[in-house]
Every structure is written in structure tokens, then in C-alpha cells.
Amino acid sequence: MRSSTMLETSCGYLLQELKMIWDEVGEDQFEREKVLLDLEQDCLEVYRRKVDSANISRARLHQELAEAEAEFTHLLLSLGERSLPGRPEKMAGTLKEQLDSITPALREMRLRKEERVSQFRAVQGQIQKISAEIAGQSEYDDSSSVVVVNENDLSLKKLEEYQIELQRLHNEKNERLQRVEKHIDKVYNLSAVLGMDSSMIITKVHPSLNELCGMSKNISDSILAKLNSTVKSLEEEKQKRLEKLRQLGRALANLWNLMDTPSGERQLFRHVIDLLSVSSEVSDPGSLTSSIIQQAEAEVKRLDQLKASKMKELFLKKQNELEEICNKSHMEIPSQSEMDNITSLINSGEIDHADLLTSMDEQILRAKEEASSRKAIMEKVEKWMLARDEERWLEEYSRDENRYSVSRGAHKNLRRAERARITVNKIPALVDLLIVKTKSWEEERKKVFLYDEVPLLAMLEEYNMSRQEREEEKQRQREKKKVQSQVVVEQENLFVSRPGTSSRRLSNGSLNGGFTNAVPLNRRVSLGIQHLGSNNINSATQSISFIKEGRKAQGEKMFARPSLAHLRDETASVVSTFSGPVSP
């Protein structure tokens, strides 16, 4: 309080002196207020620093007090005690007084902790020494050993647990020695069967396990685990080799039977084949060595190479059989690229030969079954193909203008033409039957009936359309021939009824009638040829041939009686009729 008064007096005196100086200097009011404001800010900063420093000191005391209480509580818990006699439960007074009151109790708890740690270290040291003996360490240095004591748990209960552990370790030593001996015996037996060096295997686990070393056996947990792992690995290796040799034995037996190997070569690997019939444990020394496996593998590889060449020949044979079945029934043949790929797999040995042959047999069986199901249809198709050949021959024969001429073999062609007409007349019914049977086959098989990779139904439908077009064209040609025949007959009657020069002229009625009938006929012929198009040129040629044949036959009837001069007169009359006006 006194210091505060002195501060105020000193500050007031100094402020008064500053005002006198300003008055003497003549400082303006603005500068005076600015300086006073700066002085006020500086004073506040000084006070603030002092207050902050006081807060820090108080916080430090709070922290020290809290740490002391926490350490005291931790010591109580680690020692397993509830409280310290003589220390009040609640503390009062200033922070420094509270810190001074807890310091003596904290010092006493630290001493108790050190005594308890010493007890734990002694018991744990004995446990480490006995554990070292169990681990097989012949020498144990107490000075060099480091005993780690868990200071978080120093209760009397924990100390008693360590003492019980110490007693247990004494009883465990003999039991571990028995287990080590048992594992070592198994290693000796398994090594003899597998043809391995048992001494090297045991020494690799730990040198002390070898009796030649003259050391006490290491019976630690790690050594026991290694021994157990070694025995398991040897047993697994034994089982693996046994399975390997049995597989090789089965492979050898199959290859011997397939290749007809003589008994002399088989005798070299008789011991491998004998393993197939062994159901009990294999314990004969040297019966599962790696050299036996290598020899058996080499023999199987050699026989496999021989088998591959034979399998390739057999595959090609079955491939030819499959292609023959497909070609005979006009079925789809497997792609050549697929077959080449299978051949390359056979050469590289990346495909199982048995599976390949089984697959080929299945394909051949499916092909035979499908060929059998197609047999009835294919017989009809062959008949249809033969009938089409006869139909094409008959068309060509019908277009031949000299077919009725007297020549060598003409009577044979006439007889064949009669037979061909009978066959051709049966084609529509045969095609309809084929369509019905093919649709039924496709519905049953759920696939398209292919003939040389072309749908048979499409072939039949295309043939029906082509045949219908030919029939229509023939009908048009017959109508055309009929109209032409009528014109020729009318002209013939006209020529016969009017003698002399009157035969060169025609009446208006006859001219108009002939012209009106001729024009539609020409128009129909032109339309018929346009309708056939370039693709049906053969049909068009055939139609024109029919026209020529009709005209020739009609001409023979017309000009059988008149003379040659009369024929010329009629021709001139017809020409004059179409080229000039009609005389009245």
C-alpha cells in the first residue's frame, strides 16, 4: 500500500514537472495529450507484464502441487496400499503451505518403493537365472544380467506370484528335457527315410542338441518350437514326396500300358510302383530320397515326349475322321485355325492329352449323332440335287432347235427328256417335303440346318422363287405364242380367200386387227425380258427359244400346202401392210 502511494506521489511530481517544461517550451495541447497517452500505455504494459509473471508463478505452484499429489497417489497404487498414516486426507492453506505439507509423505513413499523394488529385483533375478538354465545356458552372469522391474505393480500379491513362478520353473526343466529327446528321435527316423543328414539338421536347430558337442542341451521355448517345426516340416516333406512318387508311379503305369513298355524297363522303377499299394507308414530308410524322385520324373518326361508324338498322330487321325463325317453330311467343319492352335498346344505340352482325346471323341460322337439325324433330310436333298440337274438338262435340251432332227443318239435324248419331265414334275412336292422336314429338324435341335455352311431353308425358298419366276415366264411365252399363232392363222385365211393382186392388200379391219394384236404381244415380250433381268438371262434365252420353236412349228403347218412363190407373195403383203398406207 505504501509502495502504491509512493508511486502515485512520484508519478504526480514527474507529471507536474513535465507540465512546467511544456509551459516553458510552449508545447501545444495536441502533443501534450499524445505524450500523456503514450505514458499511460507504457504504464499499462508494465503492469500487465507484472500480472502475467505473477500468474505464471501461481500456475507453476499449482502444477508442482498436482504432480506431487499424482506421484503420491501412484506410489500408493503401485505398492498396493490405500493410504499413509499421519497424512491428512484434505489439505488447507496457501499453495506453498500445501506443497510443504505433502513433501515429507512423498519422501517416505519413495523410500518404501525402493525397498519393494529391491525385493522384486531379487526374486526376478532368481527367475532369470533358472530360466537361463532351462534355456540351456551353462553360465549365467548375475552382474551382467539386467532385471527389469515393473514399477507400476509392486504389490505384495505380485511378489507372491513371482515366487510361485520361480517354483514352477524348477518343475518344468525335467519335462522339457524329455520333449527335446522325443523330437530328436523323430528327426533321426525321418531323416533316414528321406535320405537326409540328421546330424546336420539337429546342429542347424542348435549346436547343443548334438551329443558330439559336449554341451548341455538347450531346452528353451524357441528350441522346442524349432524342433517341433523341424519335425513337422520333415513329416510334410515325407508326405509330399510320397504323394509325388505315387503320382509318378500312376503316370508311369499309365504310360507303360500306353507305350507297351517291356518288363525289363519297368523293373528299374518297380519300387516306385510298389508305393501305390503301401497303405501303412513308410519307414524303410532311403525309400523317399530326392534322387529317386528325379529319376522317376526324368522317366515320365521321356515317356511323355514319346506319348506326345503318338497323341499328335492320333489327334490328326480323329480330326480327319471328324472332317470326313462333316463333309459327308455337308455339315459345318471345325475351323482350321482352332485345329492348328490345338496342334501347337500338343507340341508345346500345354494341353492334357487324355482330355484332348476325350474332347475329340465327344465331338465325333456329336457329329455322328447329328449326321444320323440329318440322314433322312440329306437323302431328300440328294434327290433334289439330282432332280435339279435333270431340270437344267431338260431346259438346255428344250432350247436346242435341232433336238428333233435325225441325228445319232437323238432317240436316247428323247427318252431321257421324258424321264426328266417325270422327275421335274416331282420337284415341287419334294421341295415342300424338304421344307417341312427341315423346319421340324430345326425346331427339335434349336439350330439352323446348314448345307455346306448355307441354310437349307434359304436354298429351298430361293429355288421356289426362281421356279415360280420361270413358270410365270413360260406362261407369258405360251400366251405370246398363242397370240402369234392366231395372227398367222388369220393372215393365212385372208391370203387363201382373195386371189390375184388382192392378196397383196388387206382390209382396214384385218390390218387393224393384226396391228392391235401384234403390238401388245411385242410389249409383253419386252416386259417379260426386262422382268427377268441379267441374273435370269438363261430363263429369258429359254423363253425366246420356245418362241422360235413355236414359230417354226406353226410355219411348217402354214406353208405345207402353198408353193414357194405364194410364200414370197404373202411375205411381201405383210411387209407392205406394216410399211405403207392401205389402198381404198
Side-chain angles (χ1 to χ4, degrees), residues 2 34 61 75 93 160 192 198 218 362 365 384 508 516 534:
R2 179 180 177 184
K34 182 179 178 182
L61 288 174
L75 290 173
E160 184 179 356
S198 59
N218 191 319
E362 291 176 355
L365 184 62
W384 175 53
N508 290 335
T516 55
S534 59

Side-chain angles (χ1 to χ4, degrees), residues 68-117:
E69 291 179 351
E71 183 181 0
F72 184 82
T73 304
H74 178 70
L75 290 173
L76 285 175
L77 293 175
S78 62
L79 293 175
E81 298 181 3
R82 296 183 178 180
S83 62
L84 181 66
R87 181 180 179 274
E89 295 294 334
K90 295 183 179 180
M91 294 183 296
T94 63
L95 294 177
K96 291 184 177 182
E97 291 175 353
Q98 293 179 16
L99 189 60
D100 292 339
S101 65
I102 197 175
T103 300
L106 184 60
R107 189 180 301 111
E108 183 178 353
M109 291 301 296
R110 287 172 179 171
L111 293 174
R112 290 189 180 185
K113 176 185 175 181
E114 292 177 359
E115 293 177 359
R116 190 67 57 82
V117 168

Side-chain angles (χ1 to χ4, degrees), residues 329-434:
S329 297
H330 299 274
M331 296 189 299
E332 186 178 4
I333 303 175
S335 63
Q336 187 61 36
S337 60
E338 181 180 353
M339 293 301 173
D340 293 341
N341 186 28
I342 294 176
T343 304
S344 63
L345 291 176
I346 293 175
N347 295 331
S348 62
E350 296 179 0
I351 189 171
D352 186 78
H353 298 151
D355 293 342
L356 173 62
L357 295 180
T358 302
S359 176
M360 290 298 296
D361 290 336
E362 291 176 355
Q363 291 188 39
I364 291 172
L365 184 62
R366 288 196 298 269
K368 287 181 178 179
E369 189 272 334
E370 184 170 344
S372 176
S373 68
R374 294 163 59 100
K375 183 177 179 180
I377 297 178
M378 291 304 302
E379 290 176 353
K380 300 294 183 184
V381 170
E382 294 298 329
K383 291 182 180 179
W384 175 53
M385 293 293 179
L386 295 174
R388 286 180 62 185
D389 292 339
E390 291 296 310
E391 185 180 24
R392 283 191 290 269
W393 179 88
L394 185 60
E395 290 177 357
E396 294 176 359
Y397 177 75
S398 300
R399 289 195 295 267
D400 186 7
E401 297 179 357
N402 299 322
R403 64 184 182 276
Y404 297 119
S405 63
V406 178
S407 61
R408 185 177 181 181
H411 64 287
K412 294 182 179 180
N413 289 334
L414 286 173
R415 284 197 297 270
R416 181 180 176 183
E418 289 299 325
R419 291 194 301 269
R421 288 189 184 94
I422 295 173
T423 303
V424 170
N425 291 333
K426 295 179 181 179
I427 289 180
L430 181 61
V431 171
D432 293 340
L433 181 60
L434 269 175

Side-chain angles (χ1 to χ4, degrees), residues 539-550:
S539 299
T541 305
Q542 179 183 359
S543 301
I544 294 171
S545 176
F546 282 132
I547 295 172
K548 291 180 179 179
E549 293 169 4

Side-chain angles (χ1 to χ4, degrees), residues 431-549:
V431 171
D432 293 340
L433 181 60
L434 269 175
I435 291 175
V436 173
K437 286 183 173 293
T438 304
K439 287 183 178 179
S440 175
W441 188 93
E442 290 183 348
E443 290 177 358
E444 180 182 354
R445 294 275 173 167
K446 305 298 182 183
K447 61 187 295 188
V448 178
F449 190 104
L450 298 179
Y451 183 91
D452 291 339
E453 300 183 0
V454 178
L456 180 58
L457 283 178
M459 294 171 60
L460 296 172
E461 291 172 357
E462 183 180 359
Y463 173 78
N464 278 339
M465 293 175 61
S466 176
R467 182 179 178 85
Q468 184 178 359
E469 291 176 359
R470 291 198 302 271
E471 293 295 333
E472 292 176 356
E473 180 60 24
K474 288 180 180 179
Q475 182 66 26
R476 286 194 296 268
Q477 295 301 328
R478 283 194 293 269
E479 292 176 359
K480 178 181 175 181
K481 286 170 60 178
K482 183 178 180 181
V483 172
Q484 287 180 339
S485 299
Q486 291 176 357
V487 172
V488 173
V489 170
E490 290 176 0
Q491 290 176 356
E492 181 183 0
N493 293 333
L494 183 62
F495 292 154
V496 172
S497 63
R498 297 182 64 180
T501 57
S502 63
S503 63
R504 298 177 181 271
R505 302 175 183 272
L506 298 175
S507 64
N508 290 335
S510 300
L511 177 62
N512 293 334
F515 187 77
T516 55
N517 289 332
V519 172
L521 175 63
N522 294 333
R523 183 180 293 112
R524 284 195 295 271
V525 173
S526 175
L527 291 175
I529 295 175
Q530 291 178 2
H531 177 72
L532 290 175
S534 59
N535 293 332
N536 294 329
I537 192 66
N538 293 330
S539 299
T541 305
Q542 179 183 359
S543 301
I544 294 171
S545 176
F546 282 132
I547 295 172
K548 291 180 179 179
E549 293 169 4

